[in-house]
């Protein structure tokens, strides 16, 4: 596996691969790799002749310095995971390479970023959109892969790629869960033992709500009340939001039915987890 640290080198590598007739799959990450990332890598390796993975902890998308500081970093471990999945190139730019002193242009993610994550993390999606466009322009992949756990992020990226005429297919890959249903996330490593036992309740309740909504159209108000009361026994959990939205436009809906998605953010002590389920 080749490790590349500069934009110009990865652009040159991609151009050479493409002129040799190879297709390029790309998985952008912030590192702290886990099985969820490994599934994205596996799909890319399966569908493309070359796979690039980037690891860059993007300061632009963090709302607080302490969250950025606490974000897990484990490059040596990440290299082993990527290599095992047959990743061809690990693109690991540093902050200066992505955001030199003269850097000043950012992308505004627009209305699709205005609620849920965007409302609770102001500026987050502008930071995500900016770095993803920079990474896509650096790697120039045919296909880029993103996890469906970050449901709104995927919608924001699809919108930005469409609006800015980027020549790249965007694929959403189903969320990977541990045996108790907890969605795999780099943030899980920061959960206390108590929170780790309580956090799977989020998906368990999401499943209950989806079952109910699949059996009969259920009002958003009823589902919100259900989630709030079902999470009450879990002392470490603090709900930040629960929203039911149209799965494509992400507009809030009044009734949960086929084609809508329930999205939640829940704090477990100082760790914020998000999850979702489509009906
Ligand atoms: O999902 C992530 O890990 C990040 O938001 C991404 C897409 C790599 C951009 O920094």
């Amino acid at each position: 596996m080749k490790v590349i640290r500069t934009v110009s080198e990865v652009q040159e590598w991609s151009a050479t691969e493409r002129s040799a007739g190879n297709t390029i799959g790309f998985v952008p990450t912030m590192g702290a790799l886990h099985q969820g990332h490994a599934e994205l890598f596996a799909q890319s390796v399966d569908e493309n002749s070359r796979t690039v993975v980037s690891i860059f902890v993007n300061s632009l998308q963090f709302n607080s310095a302490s969250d950025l500081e606490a974000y897990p970093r484990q490059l040596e471990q990440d290299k082993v995971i990527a290599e095992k999945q047959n990743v061809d190139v690990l693109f690991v730019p540093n902050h200066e390479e992505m955001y030199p002193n003269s850097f000043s242009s950012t992308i505004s993610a627009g209305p699709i970023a205005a609620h849920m994550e965007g409302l609770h993390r102001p500026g987050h999606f502008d930071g995500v959109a900016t770095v993803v466009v920079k990474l896509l322009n650096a790697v120039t992949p045919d296909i880029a892969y993103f996890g469906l756990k970050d449901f709104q992020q995927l919608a924001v990226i699809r919108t930005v790629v469409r609006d800015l005429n980027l020549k790249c297919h965007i694929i959403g890959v189903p969320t990977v869960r541990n045996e108790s249903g907890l969605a795999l996330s780099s943030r899980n490593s920061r959960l206390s033992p108590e929170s780790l036992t309580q956090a799977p309740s989020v998906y368990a309740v999401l499943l209950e709500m989806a079952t109910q909504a699949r059996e009969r159209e259920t009002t958003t108000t009823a589902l919100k009340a259900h989630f709030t009361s079902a999470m009450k026994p879990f002392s470490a959990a603090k709900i930040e939001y629960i929203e039911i939205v149209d799965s494509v436009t992400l507009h809030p809906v009044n009734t949960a039915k086929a084609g809508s998605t329930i999205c939640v953010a829940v704090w477990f002590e100082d760790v914020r987890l998000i999850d979702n389920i489509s009906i």
Side-chain angles (χ1 to χ4, degrees):
M1 185 177 68
K2 198 174 163 66
V3 176
I4 296 183
R5 295 188 180 272
T6 65
V7 170
S8 58
E9 201 189 330
V10 81
Q11 279 172 334
E12 207 178 301
W13 178 89
S14 287
T16 308
E17 291 297 330
R18 187 155 297 106
S19 60
N22 290 319
T23 58
I24 299 169
F26 176 42
V27 186
T29 82
M30 297 203 298
L33 303 179
H34 50 66
Q35 192 53 34
H37 293 111
E39 300 283 330
L40 299 174
F41 304 167
Q43 188 165 339
S44 174
V45 167
D46 205 40
E47 296 177 350
N48 302 276
S49 29
R50 297 286 181 267
T51 287
V52 180
V53 167
S54 65
I55 295 181
F56 178 65
V57 182
N58 175 36
S59 57
L60 239 54
Q61 71 187 75
F62 284 82
N63 303 89
S64 80
S66 59
D67 194 25
L68 173 62
E69 177 86 3
Y71 202 84
R73 290 160 172 89
Q74 46 173 63
L75 184 58
E76 290 315 307
Q77 239 171 287
D78 288 349
K79 279 185 187 161
V80 175
I81 294 169
E83 187 132 47
K84 213 164 137 197
Q85 293 297 323
N86 298 319
V87 166
D88 298 284
V89 166
L90 202 59
F91 175 45
V92 197
N94 63 18
H95 180 86
E96 189 50 30
E97 178 68 13
M98 293 296 278
Y99 302 124
N101 280 340
S102 55
F103 179 81
S104 71
S105 310
T106 56
I107 289 172
S108 165
I112 200 154
H115 60 314
M116 299 200 289
E117 289 303 285
L119 183 67
H120 293 273
R121 305 183 66 188
H124 169 68
F125 283 127
D126 293 353
V128 169
T130 301
V131 81
V132 167
V133 169
K134 282 179 69 75
L135 290 167
L136 292 177
N137 281 331
V139 176
T140 61
D142 299 279
I143 308 179
Y145 299 83
F146 296 85
L148 274 161
K149 181 178 79 66
D150 294 293
F151 192 76
Q152 191 177 13
Q153 167 172 282
L154 180 60
V156 166
I157 290 166
R158 285 192 196 285
T159 306
V160 166
V161 164
R162 182 202 63 197
D163 289 352
L164 301 185
N165 306 331
L166 298 183
K167 245 182 91 204
C168 175
H169 291 290
I170 302 295
I171 304 238
V173 179
T175 303
V176 181
R177 301 179 181 279
N178 71 12
E179 60 291 342
S180 53
L182 177 64
L184 297 192
S185 161
S186 305
R187 292 175 190 268
N188 292 355
S189 63
R190 292 176 45 220
L191 291 169
S192 70
E194 193 197 3
S195 290
L196 201 53
T197 60
Q198 294 190 14
S201 58
V202 172
Y203 187 57
V205 181
L206 283 176
L207 277 175
E208 283 170 21
M209 293 193 295
T211 306
Q212 187 180 328
R214 282 175 193 137
E215 281 167 1
R216 57 184 182 284
E217 283 192 13
T218 310
T219 65
T220 291
T221 314
L223 287 179
K224 286 184 174 178
H226 180 114
F227 190 67
T228 308
S229 84
M231 289 305 296
K232 263 217 173 89
F234 301 98
S235 54
K238 205 169 137 253
I239 300 169
E240 186 167 89
Y241 69 76
I242 160 167
E243 294 294 341
I244 295 99
V245 296
D246 179 277
S247 303
V248 177
T249 63
L250 265 58
H251 291 151
V253 295
N254 293 325
T255 311
K257 52 181 179 224
S260 45
T261 298
I262 309 172
C263 300
V264 298
V266 182
W267 286 88
F268 285 88
E269 298 166 75
D270 63 339
V271 183
R272 184 177 183 278
L273 301 181
I274 57 171
D275 205 345
N276 65 80
I277 195 162
S278 287
I279 295 161

